Amino acid sequence: MLALVTAIAAAGHDEDLAPLLDACASAGLHARAVAWDDPTVSWQQFDAALLRSPWDYTERLPEFLAWCDRRDQQVSLLNPVHVIRWNTDKHYLSDLATFGIPVVTTTFVEPDAEPLQALQAFLGTEPAPEFVVKPTVSAGARDTQRYARAQEFAASNHVARLLDQGRGVMLQPYLPAVDRAGETALIYFEGSFSHAIAKGALLQPDAAALTAPFAAGDISSRSAGADELALGEQVLVAASRLLRLGQPLSYARVDLIRDDGGHPRLLELELIEPSLFFAQAPGSADRFAAALASRLSGDTIRARTGTG
């Protein structure tokens, strides 16, 4: 049996869950939606657990990671636990940059830094008229805000609030292409490209930071460009090498945005709990369910025979 892992706080917010349950049933895969933080769940009944919408992990990270470690002793986690640990903190962007991945320019500010000094150092090297402040552990643009250079004081207070909470901070230029064309999200199942969607801009000028761990947005289907697909493949290869993966990731979402030169850059690599936007890509839930059924069948055979 497959556990589709959500959270009590995410109840009613995961639009992918119902179609995935239906697709799993059609594929002959017995799946059930359960919350990671529900103490009544008997995890021994499951063969594997697929993280889908444990979206409150950003507020309960130590507790969530400890839960992942415990489940890893009982079931096959999808994606694996060391992938989860790596991907929960957006410092992973630095790792990918060292592999030559063109990521959106990012400056990390750690909890022991002086907020205003760190922000001024960033602005001294970054010519963009607008920039973004966000925590390194975040989902759905929670606690993320867009600022103009003239809002340095307000931005430094935002940085200070996050640092005071013991959270790392990211500073990035706000790329205006997102206002014109949004982001492109590439979705992969078992290492194979499935579909792409466009995400409209979430961050508006002078708007307050979002507080919910799940954020609605303007979502539509999109045909990915050849350069975007090439970068998506490059990102997955780099992640596989960094994480020493022996098989493809069960799922991945590669979020891209174009820079001022029109070139795609990596904004985020989502390997934990990304929305997969089945509604915008007919047949995609069935493709994912078929890929899961194939993987779990292979894992069962290997477990029975003792082969690796």
Side-chain angles (χ1 to χ4, degrees):
M1 188 190 303
L2 173 66
L4 302 182
V5 181
T6 182
I8 293 172
H13 294 281
D14 184 356
E15 297 180 357
D16 291 336
L17 202 52
L20 184 54
L21 283 166
D22 289 342
C24 285
S26 297
L29 186 59
H30 189 189
R32 181 178 149 208
V34 289
W36 76 272
D37 52 345
D38 180 351
T40 69
V41 175
S42 176
W43 293 96
Q44 292 83 355
Q45 66 186 299
F46 297 105
D47 302 301
L50 177 77
L51 298 190
R52 287 310 317 124
S53 46
W55 289 331
D56 59 350
Y57 80 89
T58 60
E59 304 162 71
R60 307 164 64 182
L61 187 58
E63 181 186 356
F64 176 70
L65 292 178
W67 175 89
C68 289
D69 287 337
R70 292 194 303 274
R71 295 294 80 80
D72 189 48
Q73 303 302 312
Q74 299 172 297
V75 301
S76 175
L77 280 177
L78 306 176
N79 286 314
V81 68
H82 74 289
V83 174
I84 295 168
R85 284 188 165 275
W86 181 73
N87 199 233
T88 51
D89 190 310
K90 292 179 178 60
H91 279 88
Y92 69 75
L93 290 172
S94 291
D95 296 336
L96 290 169
T98 65
F99 266 69
I101 300 299
V103 304
V104 173
T105 304
T106 304
T107 295
F108 291 98
V109 184
E110 307 306 338
D112 60 350
E114 199 289 315
L116 183 58
Q117 182 179 357
L119 181 60
Q120 289 175 336
F122 165 76
L123 293 174
T125 59
E126 177 51 60
E130 292 183 287
F131 61 97
V132 174
V133 174
K134 67 171 117 175
T136 58
V137 178
S138 179
R142 183 174 181 266
D143 294 327
T144 300
Q145 202 160 351
R146 170 181 174 180
Y147 294 97
R149 296 180 75 90
Q151 296 174 300
E152 176 185 293
F153 182 72
S156 68
N157 283 338
H158 185 178
V159 173
R161 286 195 302 274
L162 295 174
L163 297 182
D164 286 345
Q165 296 167 8
R167 304 165 75 184
V169 175
M170 303 164 63
L171 304 174
Q172 296 176 318
Y174 187 84
L175 299 180
V178 72
D179 290 330
R180 299 191 299 269
E183 304 170 22
T184 296
L186 309 176
I187 292 95
Y188 297 81
F189 303 141
E190 291 293 331
S192 296
F193 174 71
S194 171
H195 57 283
I197 59 97
K199 297 196 297 178
L202 273 177
L203 304 179
Q204 301 301 320
D206 301 316
L210 300 172
T211 57
F214 23 79
D218 181 15
I219 308 297
S220 59
S221 178
R222 168 169 287 178
S223 295
D227 55 350
E228 292 173 320
L229 291 171
L231 179 53
E233 293 293 334
Q234 185 184 354
V235 169
L236 293 187
V237 168
S240 180
R241 290 176 178 171
L242 275 165
L243 296 165
R244 302 180 184 274
L245 298 176
Q247 58 184 326
L249 293 156
S250 293
Y251 59 91
R253 199 183 81 200
V254 181
D255 291 349
L256 306 176
I257 186 172
R258 293 191 181 272
D259 61 21
D260 292 340
H263 306 293
R265 286 183 172 266
L266 178 66
L267 184 61
E268 291 190 16
L269 172 61
E270 298 277 6
L271 307 178
I272 307 170
E273 35 59 49
S275 293
L276 299 173
F277 307 111
F278 296 136
Q280 284 73 28
S284 57
D286 291 321
R287 288 195 294 275
F288 190 27
L292 289 169
S294 178
R295 171 182 283 254
L296 295 179
S297 174
D299 287 348
T300 299
I301 291 170
R302 284 190 291 272
R304 287 174 178 169
T305 62
T307 58

